[in-house]
Amino acid sequence: MTVGLGAGLLLPHVALHPMIGAERTAELLFALGFGVIGLVSIIFSLLFLVVQWAATTFTPRLGLFRDDPLVWRTFAFSLGVFVFCIAAGLSIVSRTKVSIAVPVIAMILALATLAFMYTLQSRAFASIQLGPCLHAISGRTRHVVNTVYVRPLGDEDPARSSLPAEADGHPVIWPHHGAVLCGIDVPTLVEVARTHDCLIVLCQAPGQLLVRNRPVARIHAGTLSPDALPPDALSPDALLAALAPGVERTFDQDPEIGMRLLADIALRGLSPAINDPATAVQALDHIEDLLLLLADRELDVGQVHDADGTLRVMVPGPDWDRYVRTALDDVINSAQTVPLALHRIRLLLQHVLDAGPETRRPQLRERLTRVERLIARCLPVSSAPTPVADTEPM
């Protein structure tokens, strides 16, 4: 908006030939400006309904379209075009001639605004369709998984250490109101721990709740070199500044949120009010893909070392059992009388069992046994029909 204001005030004073009448140009600029702002008002009013529809149809925790940078960039660009047109029109009302570059640039900016609007509407239409929505959730989750879990299962970290006892640590209390931990600035924490020669053990993982007056981290003494400060001298503000609180979970450092969203969509499809098991099956397709991706990854990646190889930060994270529980347990409970969903869950578990290593199979076998029992109860084997005796014709 500031750029539009500056360009609108300065560009009319540029004597770039050919020159045209200023009065007609001012009318054109005012028409373009108010036309753009009117279109923006109508489009964004409709987009609010799209956000509400997606929240009530899929899950209220789904904010992919709402958080899309294109939404707010389109809004900012449109306001900038409006301000440019109005400022340029006011700048030339007292002039007789103005450069033809002014209306040409205004027309180009208006056409660019229409292109932004078209792209934004396409994103909005995609966000209210099941297939693109599930694809977007699984795609974002795969990106986070590939970023966080880079080592294959069995590739042990040679510098791995055991978790120190909580009683040995100095607690850091969360002083603010309850919030969700959206992100952790790990490099900052490593630098703080290195400066004080200590180990920082966080109590919550990204996506979990920070509770007022409860420990958010514990500081454990390190080797205590002569020039290092003791752990209890570490300012809580330096540690708390590395934590990003928020009002809801995000995809940034939370691989589990994708599983939660897909399970929520499946639960909505299985609810008696919706009664759409095919939606649950589609969500289970993407859940299977993510479980297969996680099955052969090393999930214990919460130990962070400094440049010298000294352990400085430990961050808790979900293990394999947590992922399986989040993805399947609630869905299995809701699908007890839905054969279509039960058969899909059984197939999912069989595929992950075949692809996953032996250390990841006990949790899957336990759930597969339960699903088999539910299928047997839901679809009991009927007894063979009694043959009808042949009768002689009269």
Side-chain angles (χ1 to χ4, degrees):
M1 194 163 61
T2 303
V3 175
L5 178 62
L9 294 176
L10 297 177
L11 188 61
H13 298 283
V14 177
L16 184 63
H17 293 277
M19 308 294 284
I20 59 176
E23 183 178 355
R24 293 294 181 87
T25 303
E27 294 176 358
L28 174 63
L29 290 173
F30 288 140
L32 285 176
F34 286 107
V36 166
I37 199 65
L39 178 63
V40 169
S41 301
I42 295 174
I43 294 298
F44 273 82
S45 297
L46 296 176
L47 293 181
F48 292 146
L49 298 178
V50 171
V51 174
Q52 182 181 5
W53 189 93
T56 55
T57 302
F58 297 136
T59 168
R61 282 166 288 282
L62 183 62
L64 293 179
F65 176 73
R66 180 202 60 198
D67 299 332
D68 193 331
L70 179 65
V71 176
W72 308 112
R73 289 172 184 171
T74 300
F75 185 74
F77 183 83
S78 303
L79 285 183
V81 173
F82 168 73
V83 171
F84 168 78
C85 292
I86 300 303
L90 294 175
S91 298
I92 66 176
V93 291
S94 60
R95 300 165 63 93
T96 57
K97 296 291 183 179
V98 68
S99 172
I100 195 174
V102 176
V104 169
I105 292 176
M107 290 292 296
I108 293 174
L109 292 176
L111 291 175
T113 303
L114 292 178
F116 271 112
M117 291 295 178
Y118 173 77
T119 306
L120 185 62
Q121 284 185 297
S122 299
R123 296 275 184 91
F125 292 150
S127 69
I128 62 177
Q129 299 177 22
L130 179 62
C133 179
L134 295 175
H135 180 76
I137 294 173
S138 59
R140 293 281 297 273
T141 307
R142 282 195 300 270
H143 174 74
V144 179
V145 168
N146 291 328
T147 302
V148 176
Y149 305 120
V150 296
R151 298 199 312 269
L153 185 64
D155 185 10
E156 296 292 340
D157 187 356
R160 182 165 303 280
S161 304
S162 58
L163 184 68
E166 290 188 1
D168 299 334
H170 177 72
V172 176
I173 304 301
W174 180 250
H176 310 296
H177 57 79
V180 175
L181 180 58
C182 295
I184 302 171
D185 188 353
V186 176
T188 298
L189 286 180
V190 171
E191 182 60 27
V192 170
R194 188 193 63 81
T195 302
H196 293 79
D197 191 19
C198 63
L199 169 64
I200 298 176
V201 180
L202 295 179
C203 301
Q204 281 84 21
Q208 294 182 341
L209 184 65
L210 302 173
V211 182
R212 182 194 292 269
N213 297 330
R214 296 293 299 169
V216 69
R218 295 185 181 275
I219 305 172
H220 299 263
T223 57
L224 289 180
S225 58
D227 56 345
L229 299 173
D232 55 1
L234 191 155
S235 172
D237 294 337
L239 190 150
L240 296 177
L243 307 180
V247 297
E248 61 184 1
R249 300 170 70 172
T250 64
F251 280 92
D252 295 336
Q253 298 178 356
D254 184 8
E256 190 185 2
I257 181 62
M259 292 289 191
R260 181 70 272 162
L261 292 174
L262 293 172
D264 285 349
I265 294 174
L267 290 173
R268 291 255 174 152
L270 294 172
S271 64
I274 305 298
N275 193 23
D276 183 14
T279 293
V281 169
Q282 283 188 258
L284 288 167
D285 293 341
H286 292 270
I287 289 175
E288 177 183 332
D289 181 69
L290 295 178
L291 288 177
L292 288 172
L293 182 65
L294 289 165
D296 61 349
R297 299 293 181 95
E298 177 57 58
L299 304 181
D300 189 6
V301 295
Q303 298 192 8
V304 185
H305 301 75
D306 60 13
D308 298 329
T310 303
L311 179 61
R312 294 302 184 187
V313 177
M314 299 184 74
V315 182
D319 56 9
W320 174 247
D321 185 68
R322 173 69 176 267
Y323 279 117
V324 175
R325 186 167 63 250
T326 300
L328 296 177
D329 282 4
D330 292 334
V331 181
I332 293 174
N333 288 336
S334 297
Q336 294 187 26
T337 59
V338 184
L340 179 63
L342 288 175
H343 283 292
R344 183 62 186 90
I345 296 172
R346 179 174 63 180
L347 187 62
L348 180 156
L349 290 169
Q350 290 172 346
H351 288 170
V352 181
L353 267 170
D354 294 338
E358 183 60 35
T359 55
R360 299 283 168 85
R361 292 177 178 175
Q363 298 90 341
L364 302 173
R365 291 194 184 100
E366 175 186 348
R367 289 163 175 84
L368 180 59
T369 302
R370 182 184 176 193
V371 170
E372 295 282 4
R373 288 200 301 265
L374 290 174
I375 292 176
R377 187 179 66 182
C378 186
L379 297 173
V381 180
S382 59
S383 58
T386 304
V388 180
D390 294 335
T391 58
E392 296 182 359
M394 297 294 294

